[in-house]
Each structure stands twice: as structure tokens, then as C-alpha cells.
Amino acid sequence: MPASTPLVAFDDPQYREAVVDLLGAIAYGEISAFERLAEDSRMAPNLEDKVAIATMAAAEFAHVAPLNERLTALGADPFQAMAPFQGPIDRFHEYTAPDDWYESLIKAYVGDGLANDFYREIAAYLDADTRDLILASLEDSGHAAFVVDRVRAAIAADHRLGGRLALWGRRLMGEALTQAQRVIVDRDALSALLAGGVDRPGIDLASISRMFTRITERHAERMTELGLAS
Amino acid sequence: MPASTPLVAFDDPQYREAVVDLLGAIAYGEISAFERLAEDSRMAPNLEDKVAIATMAAAEFAHVAPLNERLTALGADPFQAMAPFQGPIDRFHEYTAPDDWYESLIKAYVGDGLANDFYREIAAYLDADTRDLILASLEDSGHAAFVVDRVRAAIAADHRLGGRLALWGRRLMGEALTQAQRVIVDRDALSALLAGGVDRPGIDLASISRMFTRITERHAERMTELGLAS
């Protein structure tokens, strides 16, 4: 980070620890998303869709290097920073293993969207440099239109598919919340970050409730865009 | 390609067809390598190795877009150009599915090396623009040192592993040659390219023999570098 930016917040070791946690979680999340999307690309019904999903995978992985550089600049080992999140993130993927190509597409779109919304909400409580880095990592991989197009066409061709995929979207949301909640409870520094500090605003219960409302609403918007009830 | 470069060779529809074949084969090869490396990254014994192999995967995939752009510029559909090579390349991977992490590493290193040597040899018979594009696609993903380091350390720790991995290297070489030969026989334009044209030198039997000698020698060098008998 630029030496010219005084970062009062980093004088607080717990704040630094929370940022290391958060960057480690995002980095491992990107690696994991990369691996799942690459696996999904093998299920693609044709080469064009294969390349589209592989492009999403490569875009996720491209975010890892800048996150690792920042972790190193903060004096942290990137791999140690990621380690605590490997369990919860792997479990999320284990419990939401797609059964077919459409479940994969929806998971790529809805899962990515949920993770982005969640990190974006937390980024609002961070110093400007960290916030900018996180927002850059969450940039849309630009393939949302591809997913929406393929899912809507499939539902139009087979209406029963819509019901199954709507259930799938709810399950993704439920698992994501379960694992996210577990991570925050397990990581003291992250919980403390949300509680605030002398030089940073905390997040009160009313704010947490509004945050979850916003995340849920955006999830519903994505499901609607896919032509699915949320 | 720059309009200022007159490409006499492209006036020959069979030459154009051969280039489309070759670019299609390389593009699908990169997509396929990406998928296998991404799958291998899930087998990685630790996060550091996982990121190293995923970085190799992303580097392979990054070559696909420029190849597809050139195919489009040549008036070809990239996905149609790739299609004939999906079978042979998928079969290569099916017959050489790694059983463990070290077989994966060696396949990444030796398989990539073999493919690069083969395409580099053919590129010598092409127009300068196509040759440059192909050579750029074959740039070393820069992780050879990582593979050599991991494999040598594993063999030092367990000498029996060396014998098994040496056999594995021979099997990779055999399967690669089988599939490459089948592709050339099946694709008339590629066979014709090797036979030469009015404005291009062909490749005679003695040259083919020297080409295979060079490819075999470089394979042997890679095996030696890994600490394995070839």
C-alpha cells in the first residue's frame, strides 16, 4: 500500500488481524470458485459454453495475486491467512455440489453474487485502501448475461426445471448464510471488526438486520432476473 | 493480422484450412490443459502448491482468446475449428489420467513440453504472423522450476517413486505420439501442409525423422531434469 497513506486503523493489531482474515477468506474463496467453475466447464454442453465458464473461472483466479500481494505487504503469509477459511468454504461447496449444468450456472451466478454482496457490505467498515482492493476483487466477471440467457432459455423449454432451480437457489442462499455466520463466530478479529473500534464505527444489531435484508433482496433480484421465484 | 503483411500462402485455401486446423487444435489443447490443471489443483497437498498449479492453469487459458481472435480474423468459427480435435485431445487425457499428485505434476510439465515442441516444429513451416502467434501461445508458463523442485524432492524421499514416475513419463510420450499421428492422418489439410506447396517448402521423410528425434531428445532432457530416466 502507498507509504504516503497513514492508516491509523492498522495501529490496532486486531484491525490488522481482521483485514488479514478478510483478505485471506476472499482469496481462498476465489481459488475455490476457480476450481469449481473449472470443474463445471467440463460439464458444458458445447465448446462455446465451456469457454464462457472457463473465462469466468480464470477471471476469479486473476484476483488472487493482488490479494496475496496485499497480505504480504501487511506482513502476513497469504497461505496462513487463507487456511482458516478452507474448511467452511470447502464445506459450502461440498454441500452445494451441482447435479447438472443448470445448477452449476446458477451456483456460479448466485453464489458469486452473494459472496460479492457480503464482502461489499463488510468493506464499507474498512479503510479506503483495503476497501478499494476488495471492491476491485469483486468486479463482475462480465458473464452474468451469459448465465441469465442460458437459464431463461432452459426454463422456457422445460417449465418443471424452473421449480427445481428455484429450490436450488434457496439452498445456495441457506448454505452461504450458515457458513458465513460460522466464520464470523469463529474468528474473533472479524467479530470485533463488526463491533467497531475507537476510530471506526461499529455495526449495531439494527444495521446487521438491514445488511441481511439488503443481501436477501439482491438475491431475490438475481433469482427474478434468472426467471426463477426466490 | 496486419493488413500491411501480404500473405501469399493464404491464397491457397488448403493452407488456410491447415492453419485453421492448427490454431483450433492448439486452442482446444489449451482449454483442455486448463481443465486438467484446474482439476489437479484440487489434489494439491497444500495451498501453496494449489496456487502454483492453478496459476499454470490460468496461464494456459489466457492463450485461448488470442487464438480465437485470429481464427475469427481468418473467417473461421473458433468453436468449429476446435471441434475436430476435441476427440483426440480428450482421449489423450482419458488414457493419461494421473493417479496422484506427482503424476499430475509430471503430466503438466512433460505433456506441456511435448505439445510445445510439436507445435513449434510445425510453426517453422508457417507464415511469420501465424508462427509468431503460435510461439506466443507456447510461452513457458514459468512454473517449470516449481514442478522440478517438487518432483526431485519426492524422489529423493522415496526412491521407488522414481521408477514408477519414469514409466509414467514414457506412457505420456507414447500416448501423445499416438494421438498426434492420428490427428495428422485424419486432417487432410494438415497432411498437405507437411507435404509443402508451390510457395512453401514441404517436409520430407528425412526431416520428419529428424523432427521426431529432436522431440524425443527434448523429452529425455526434461525427464533428466526431473531426476527420472527417460
Side-chain angles (χ1 to χ4, degrees):
Chain A
M1 102 203 50
S4 58
T5 315
L7 292 172
V8 178
F10 281 100
D11 293 341
D12 175 357
Q14 206 168 35
Y15 179 78
R16 181 191 159 282
E17 203 183 314
V19 168
V20 167
D21 263 7
L22 201 56
L23 300 183
I26 298 175
Y28 187 74
E30 304 273 17
I31 292 171
S32 189
F34 160 82
E35 287 185 340
R36 309 302 152 156
L37 288 169
E39 198 183 350
D40 293 343
S41 97
R42 302 184 61 188
M43 276 204 251
N46 57 57
L47 266 171
E48 209 164 341
D49 288 5
K50 185 189 277 296
V51 168
I53 206 107
T55 303
M56 291 171 79
E60 298 280 2
F61 191 72
H63 296 140
V64 174
L67 292 165
N68 286 1
E69 276 161 30
R70 180 65 58 92
L71 282 164
T72 305
L74 288 172
D77 175 273
F79 303 105
Q80 277 177 19
M82 293 181 209
F85 307 100
Q86 198 168 4
I89 292 173
D90 284 357
R91 267 193 298 280
F92 170 74
H93 288 298
E94 190 187 325
Y95 297 155
T96 58
D99 262 342
D100 65 16
W101 172 241
Y102 295 104
E103 289 191 3
S104 296
L105 284 183
I106 289 175
K107 183 171 165 182
Y109 180 62
V110 163
D112 206 45
L114 274 175
N116 287 3
D117 285 346
F118 178 71
Y119 293 130
R120 204 181 297 272
E121 291 283 351
I122 294 190
Y125 293 88
L126 303 175
D127 63 281
D129 277 353
T130 308
R131 187 165 60 239
D132 290 349
L133 175 68
I134 291 177
L135 296 182
S137 308
L138 305 181
E139 264 174 19
D140 180 32
S141 47
H143 291 265
F146 160 77
V147 172
V148 170
D149 174 72
R150 294 302 192 271
V151 172
R152 293 191 85 108
I155 297 168
D158 174 5
H159 285 282
R160 281 167 314 169
L161 189 66
R164 175 159 70 79
L165 294 180
L167 276 176
W168 174 243
R170 275 200 282 284
R171 194 163 129 214
L172 290 170
M173 177 71 174
E175 280 300 334
L177 287 181
T178 304
Q179 300 300 334
Q181 199 176 18
R182 187 166 305 168
V183 161
I184 291 176
V185 169
D186 277 0
R187 304 300 294 173
D188 291 343
L190 281 178
S191 321
L193 173 77
L194 295 178
V198 281
D199 53 352
R200 284 170 295 104
I203 180 168
D204 57 23
L205 271 179
S207 304
I208 289 188
S209 158
R210 281 195 299 274
M211 174 173 127
F212 277 104
T213 304
R214 283 193 298 273
I215 290 181
T216 308
E217 279 170 2
R218 282 195 287 251
H219 173 68
E221 284 164 19
R222 275 188 292 270
M223 294 298 282
T224 305
E225 212 181 341
L226 289 167
L228 297 170
S230 56
Chain B
M1 100 204 53
S4 59
T5 314
L7 292 173
V8 177
F10 281 99
D11 292 342
D12 175 357
Q14 206 169 33
Y15 178 79
R16 181 191 158 280
E17 203 184 313
V19 168
V20 167
D21 264 7
L22 201 56
L23 299 184
I26 298 175
Y28 187 74
E30 303 273 17
I31 292 171
S32 189
F34 160 82
E35 286 184 342
R36 308 302 152 154
L37 287 169
E39 200 183 347
D40 294 342
S41 97
R42 302 184 61 189
M43 276 205 251
N46 57 58
L47 265 172
E48 210 165 341
D49 288 5
K50 186 190 276 295
V51 169
I53 205 107
T55 303
M56 289 171 79
E60 298 280 1
F61 191 72
H63 296 141
V64 174
L67 292 165
N68 286 1
E69 277 161 29
R70 180 66 58 91
L71 281 164
T72 306
L74 289 172
D77 176 272
F79 303 105
Q80 276 178 19
M82 292 181 211
F85 307 100
Q86 199 168 3
I89 291 172
D90 285 356
R91 268 193 299 279
F92 171 74
H93 288 298
E94 190 187 324
Y95 297 155
T96 59
D99 263 343
D100 66 16
W101 173 240
Y102 294 105
E103 290 191 2
S104 295
L105 284 183
I106 290 175
K107 184 172 166 183
Y109 180 62
V110 163
D112 206 46
L114 275 174
N116 288 4
D117 286 345
F118 178 70
Y119 292 130
R120 201 181 298 272
E121 291 283 352
I122 293 190
Y125 293 87
L126 303 175
D127 63 281
D129 277 353
T130 308
R131 188 166 58 239
D132 290 349
L133 175 67
I134 291 178
L135 296 182
S137 307
L138 305 182
E139 263 173 20
D140 180 32
S141 48
H143 291 265
F146 160 77
V147 173
V148 170
D149 174 72
R150 294 301 193 272
V151 172
R152 293 191 84 108
I155 297 168
D158 174 5
H159 286 282
R160 281 167 314 169
L161 190 65
R164 175 159 71 78
L165 294 180
L167 275 175
W168 175 243
R170 275 200 282 283
R171 194 161 129 215
L172 290 170
M173 176 71 174
E175 279 301 335
L177 287 182
T178 304
Q179 299 301 334
Q181 199 176 17
R182 187 166 303 169
V183 163
I184 291 177
V185 170
D186 277 0
R187 304 301 292 174
D188 291 342
L190 280 179
S191 322
L193 172 76
L194 293 179
V198 282
D199 53 352
R200 284 170 294 103
I203 180 168
D204 57 24
L205 271 179
S207 305
I208 289 190
S209 159
R210 281 196 298 275
M211 175 174 127
F212 276 104
T213 304
R214 282 193 298 273
I215 290 181
T216 309
E217 280 171 1
R218 282 195 288 253
H219 174 68
E221 283 164 19
R222 275 187 294 268
M223 294 298 282
T224 305
E225 211 180 342
L226 289 168
L228 296 170
S230 56

